Amino acid sequence: MESMLRAAFPDATFDLSNDSASHHGHAGDDGSGESHFSLTIEWAGFSGMDRVARQRTVNKALGDLPGQRVHALAIKATAPGE
């Protein structure tokens, strides 16, 4: 996921956290240890976009990963200065 984000948002700063351990045994946990993630990303390209457009942009960059291997991805996307 990190390499996909770097390719799509080369000048962004982001923090990707694997939260899967805290969801062990819950819905969507496939036992892989890679089912639940949180992403905080700051990118100048998000300027002028609303929250939904930002999340769609991130999801588009990740292709079919969310919903296939990744059960849940919490996204906090901001533009610089927000």
Side-chain angles (χ1 to χ4, degrees):
M1 217 179 328
E2 285 186 24
S3 62
M4 296 170 93
L5 291 167
R6 281 192 187 93
F9 310 104
D11 55 343
T13 57
F14 66 87
D15 179 45
L16 182 64
S17 301
N18 185 338
D19 305 325
S20 301
S22 61
H23 295 275
H24 180 70
H26 298 162
D29 175 33
D30 63 2
S32 69
E34 294 189 349
S35 60
H36 293 74
F37 292 84
S38 296
L39 171 66
T40 302
I41 182 168
E42 182 180 282
W43 181 53
F46 291 140
S47 185
M49 290 185 186
D50 65 19
R51 182 182 57 84
V52 173
R54 292 172 182 191
Q55 291 186 352
R56 285 182 179 150
T57 301
V58 171
N59 283 324
K60 183 177 178 181
L62 295 174
D64 64 354
L65 197 59
Q68 297 292 323
R69 280 192 15 208
V70 175
H71 173 73
L73 174 63
I75 301 169
K76 180 179 179 186
T78 60
E82 294 182 340

